[in-house]
Amino acid sequence: MHTYIPEGYKSLLSVYDTQKAIGLMKRLFEDTFAPALNLFRVSAPLFVDGDSGINDNLNGYERPVSFDILHTGAHAQVVQSLAKWKRLALKRYDFYPGKGIYTDMNAIRRDEDELDNLHSVYVDQWDWEKVILPENRNIDFLKTTVLSIVDAICDTQETLTAIYPALGAVDRLSRNVSFVTAQELEDMWPDLTPKERENRYVREHPTTFIIGIGGPLRSGAPHDGRSPDYDDWTLNGDILVWNSLLGCAFELSSMGIRVDPAALDRQLAAAHCDDRRNLMYHRMLLNGELPLTIGGGIGQSRMSMLMLGKAHIGEVQASIWDDETAEKCREAGVMLL
């Protein structure tokens, strides 16, 4: 979608109250989410060694922002996400199964292919990761974790709305999660694009978790791109909710049970990424030196948009926009931070 401002749209909160509400929302969510999943806050890097294989490759074509460090000569990359770094961190913390970490992740995605109401080159999210047992690598465990996250999101909205009554005009999120596989969506609507399928399904099921993203479907194409070296494509998915203000499915979280050595071996081959096998992170994982984990990211700006009834992501985060977007928002009275 391109930038779209609903007719008659007006912010429910002033600019400063928006900032206060964002800060409160973040504190409320962390206080609910972290104990629900037994997660402990840690500090995270803004950049990593570009030659380590730790940075997230996303769909494989996005260029990370990179720079050299004068004193050491190292080649550094600004993170695109912390999917791999978190697993290494859990090994260093020596956490037991059932215990995990979460952190504030700030990233730059310079090759974001469409800047619109939902997408920016700046990404902020809660990145989290938890150690699990081999017997937890199944769909039921994944679903249970999804339900815990959705409950934390709904609890946060209820408290925030009680403190800011104006937010009562925002749609109340549903705790009733509909689970569906990407293949089932393709079978239902083979002639639609994946995004069109999401919109059709989520409109009728306002809180949805789509399972199985990254691997090819029966059509030969994946539902969406996913790097082969963090999620197990058969045990992952996205949490989406219906955004009635924008009239579309609205992704809040991408998450999943992570690859074990067998899944990594299989997915590297399928994605034609065998060159990664010699990178430090991948060698450790293939050798069974990293803990089994589940993890993901939960969009902070996305949550802010949804709970504060905002039409554009630039109302809740500071970024850089093209002239057309800036002008359209200015004409509609939408203030971009």
Side-chain angles (χ1 to χ4, degrees):
M1 63 184 290
H2 299 291
T3 298
Y4 158 72
I5 306 301
E7 186 175 354
Y9 168 75
K10 189 174 182 180
S11 176
L12 298 171
L13 299 176
S14 69
V15 176
Y16 185 60
D17 279 344
T18 293
Q19 293 293 309
K20 289 169 61 180
I22 290 172
L24 176 60
M25 183 275 293
K26 290 182 178 180
R27 293 192 297 274
L28 289 171
F29 179 69
E30 289 180 17
D31 288 347
T32 306
F33 163 69
L37 268 65
N38 198 28
L39 306 177
F40 297 82
R41 195 187 187 286
V42 299
S43 298
L46 177 60
F47 49 86
V48 294
D49 184 342
D51 300 319
S52 65
I54 296 175
N55 204 358
D56 187 349
N57 296 88
L58 301 177
N59 295 303
Y61 62 82
E62 295 91 345
R63 299 169 301 156
V65 175
S66 61
F67 59 95
D68 64 289
I69 297 176
L70 180 62
H71 183 69
T72 66
H75 166 231
Q77 291 180 350
V78 176
V79 298
Q80 297 195 111
S81 92
L82 296 172
K84 301 170 191 170
W85 175 87
K86 293 177 295 182
R87 201 162 175 179
L88 285 168
L90 284 173
K91 177 178 173 62
R92 291 195 294 268
Y93 286 121
D94 195 27
F95 276 7
Y96 55 78
K99 184 177 180 180
I101 58 175
Y102 78 95
T103 189
D104 287 301
M105 191 280 294
N106 297 286
I108 300 174
R109 297 184 183 173
R110 60 190 290 185
D111 289 336
E112 182 64 56
D113 56 7
E114 187 173 11
L115 301 183
D116 56 21
N117 294 63
L118 309 183
H119 298 91
S120 166
V121 297
Y122 170 67
V123 179
D124 55 342
Q125 65 184 31
W126 290 282
D127 248 317
W128 64 276
E129 199 85 9
K130 182 165 75 169
V131 182
I132 61 174
L133 295 166
E135 53 264 37
N136 298 137
R137 299 190 78 259
N138 59 71
I139 290 293
D140 287 341
F141 185 81
L142 177 65
K143 289 181 177 180
T144 299
T145 305
V146 169
L147 292 174
S148 296
I149 294 172
V150 169
D151 278 344
I153 294 172
C154 291
D155 288 346
T156 300
Q157 185 184 37
E158 290 176 2
T159 304
L160 192 66
T161 302
I163 296 171
Y164 290 93
L167 300 181
V170 177
D171 288 345
R172 183 64 58 89
L173 296 173
S174 172
R175 298 175 188 266
N176 184 22
V177 182
S178 178
F179 293 93
V180 64
T181 68
Q183 186 59 63
E184 287 171 335
L185 291 181
E186 184 183 68
D187 293 343
M188 292 178 203
W189 300 294
D191 296 329
L192 299 184
T193 67
K195 292 302 177 188
E196 289 170 340
R197 293 172 201 150
E198 289 179 359
N199 286 333
R200 286 282 293 271
Y201 191 85
V202 180
R203 183 190 292 272
E204 300 300 323
H205 306 84
T207 303
T208 292
F209 186 74
I210 300 176
I211 300 169
I213 296 177
L217 304 176
R218 280 194 280 272
S219 64
H223 180 81
D224 199 1
R226 200 62 50 91
S227 182
D229 45 17
Y230 56 94
D231 281 353
D232 186 322
W233 291 340
T234 66
L235 294 170
N236 72 348
D238 291 342
I239 299 175
L240 298 100
V241 299
W242 183 250
N243 186 320
S244 61
L245 177 64
L246 299 177
C248 67
F250 190 85
E251 181 186 322
L252 287 179
S253 175
S254 172
M255 57 173 287
I257 292 172
R258 308 308 199 183
V259 289
D260 60 7
L264 177 63
D265 178 64
R266 181 175 64 251
Q267 291 180 185
L268 287 177
H272 307 292
C273 294
D274 287 316
D275 57 313
R276 299 185 194 176
R277 295 175 184 272
N278 293 321
L279 297 172
M280 175 201 71
Y281 172 85
H282 300 73
R283 288 200 312 271
M284 292 179 69
L285 210 162
L286 288 168
N287 291 335
E289 298 172 19
L290 296 179
L292 298 176
T293 62
I294 182 173
I298 303 169
Q300 295 183 358
S301 288
R302 292 285 183 93
M303 287 260 290
S304 299
M305 279 187 70
L306 193 70
M307 295 193 182
L308 275 57
K310 299 293 187 178
H312 196 283
I313 196 169
E315 296 180 89
V316 297
Q317 62 157 245
S319 186
I320 295 177
W321 304 98
D322 58 277
D323 292 340
E324 181 181 349
T325 295
E327 180 61 25
K328 183 174 288 189
C329 290
R330 187 162 45 246
E331 290 175 353
V334 174
M335 180 178 290
L336 300 178
L337 299 181

